[in-house]
Every structure is written in structure tokens, then in C-alpha cells.
Amino acid sequence: GDSVTQMEGPVTLSEEAFLTINCTYTATGYPSLFWYVQYPGEGLQLLLKATKADDKGSNKGFEATYRKETTSFHLEKGSVQVSDSAVYFCALNGGATNKLIFGTGTLLAVQP
Amino acid sequence: EAGVTQSPTHLIKTRGQQATLRCSPISGHTSVYWYQQALGLGLQFLLWYDEGEERNRGNFPPRFSGRQFPNYSSELNVNALELEDSALYLCASSPQGQSKETQYFGPGTRLLVL
């Protein structure tokens, strides 16, 4: 079945460092891909999405490109802030069942 | 625009009791989804309702059930509570049509079963 694998955390960075969180997927069709962020004690917020190959999603300085050839959707940000500290989830929606399949989440801790 | 709302924010029950969780979708959204986020188990899909009908169900026992009302709000009922039902329950909603795949989440209900 469909699945999402993302890098284990925690990821600890200094403020203004470059961020990459790796995400790869397995899907039988052509899924839509998402990054969600969860701040402590809160629900999930949609960060960005891409619905077809080579699409780039972007929001709040974060970017991710849908790479069909490598089945990847890595999250990047050029300069992280302390306020970016959260858990980041990569997810796919395969369409037929319309359910989101999530990775295990990556905890990002940004130190001043 | 108001987001997805859920109530209550916290719920404490004892084993064997029933819990009812509520969700109101974003205005104009017709689909509601329920997910469970339990420690060590990640985010698991529970249920999808659309236009009042159950469209899909995750790998959970029948004591997890729900419904969607004519105003598109939804309830999740968990009967015969077990300790391992303790989790954050997240509701999400999505619009009709091609954008249905994009789900927007509420803040969740944290259920503790003692």
C-alpha cells in the first residue's frame, strides 16, 4: 500500500541555518503531497502542497518540489527561526480513498 | 474565515465508558475526516464523511463510529473505552470538487482514558 518515509529527528539547528527534512513516498498512482506542521499542544497546520510532478509548493519561506523520478518531496528553508520549532509531517493523498497517509513526523528544534 | 473547530478540548473518561467528540468544518466544506494521533502510533485515519454518508473507514474496531449532520458538522463516538484509546483526536475538513484532497485540521480533542 501507499506509504511515506521521512527522516528521523530530532533535527537541531541554530537560528539562520539551512533546513532540509527528507521525505520519500511509495504510491501506486499519482498522489498529491503535503507538508503539515504541528506546534506544541496544537493541531496540524497545512504548510504547503503539490499536486503533480515538478510542482513546487511554498509558504512562509518553506519550499518542497514534487519529484516523481525520485519519489521525493523534501522540505527546505533557507534560514530557520526559533519560531519554526515544531514537528513537521509529510503526507500523501492517493485520491481513491481520499485519506491522508502520514510519515512519522520530524521534530525540529531551532536554538537562538 | 473561521477554521475547523472541535469540542471539547480535553476529555477524561474511565475504561468502559463512552466518549463523544464534536467537529464543525470550515464554512462551505462538505467533507469531514477523523484521525487519531496516539503516542508511538503516529497519525492514523479513522473515518471520512461526505454529504452525510460514511465514505471510507480506517482499520479501527466498530466501537469507533460517527455521523455527519445536515449542517456538515460531525460527531465521533467511541464506545467501551480502552486505555489505549487515549490520544489526540483530530478532525479535518475539505471542500467539494478537485480540492477535496486538501484537508484542513482543527486543534483536536485530547482524550484520556483512566
Side-chain angles (χ1 to χ4, degrees), chain A:
Chain A
D2 294 356
S3 66
V4 174
T5 302
Q6 61 181 105
M7 64 189 286
E8 299 243 349
V11 174
T12 303
L13 296 173
S14 297
E15 209 164 20
E16 299 184 3
F18 185 87
L19 169 70
T20 300
I21 300 178
N22 290 336
C23 171
T24 57
Y25 68 90
T26 302
T28 52
Y30 301 96
S32 293
L33 302 175
F34 304 86
W35 278 101
Y36 285 87
V37 58
Q38 187 173 35
Y39 297 99
E42 298 185 10
L44 298 178
Q45 293 181 25
L46 176 65
L47 184 57
L48 53 84
K49 69 175 185 179
T51 58
K52 61 184 187 297
D54 299 325
D55 267 3
K56 178 186 281 190
S58 62
N59 185 25
K60 299 180 182 179
F62 291 90
E63 292 183 341
T65 301
Y66 190 140
R67 302 283 189 202
K68 185 168 172 288
E69 62 276 12
T70 54
T71 62
S72 64
F73 192 54
H74 303 321
L75 182 68
E76 296 182 335
K77 186 176 185 183
S79 176
V80 294
Q81 306 300 312
V82 171
S83 57
D84 294 327
S85 299
V87 180
Y88 292 80
F89 291 93
C90 184
L92 69 81
N93 187 330
T97 59
N98 204 30
K99 67 179 182 183
L100 287 171
I101 295 171
F102 289 90
T104 52
T106 301
L107 173 63
L108 170 65
V110 180
Q111 298 176 338

Side-chain angles (χ1 to χ4, degrees), chain B residues 2 14 17 21 29 32 57 60 68 74 85 98 105-106 114:
Chain B
T14 56
Q17 287 188 313
L21 288 64
H29 287 190
V32 170
R57 182 182 182 85
F60 282 83
Q68 186 178 33
S74 177
D85 296 334
Q98 286 188 327
F105 285 81
L114 302 175

Side-chain angles (χ1 to χ4, degrees), chain B residues 50-69:
Chain B
D50 184 52
E51 299 282 0
E53 300 285 331
E54 182 180 302
R55 303 296 186 185
N56 192 17
R57 182 182 182 85
N59 189 25
F60 282 83
R63 55 191 188 80
F64 286 83
S65 65
R67 53 181 173 165
Q68 186 178 33
F69 299 100

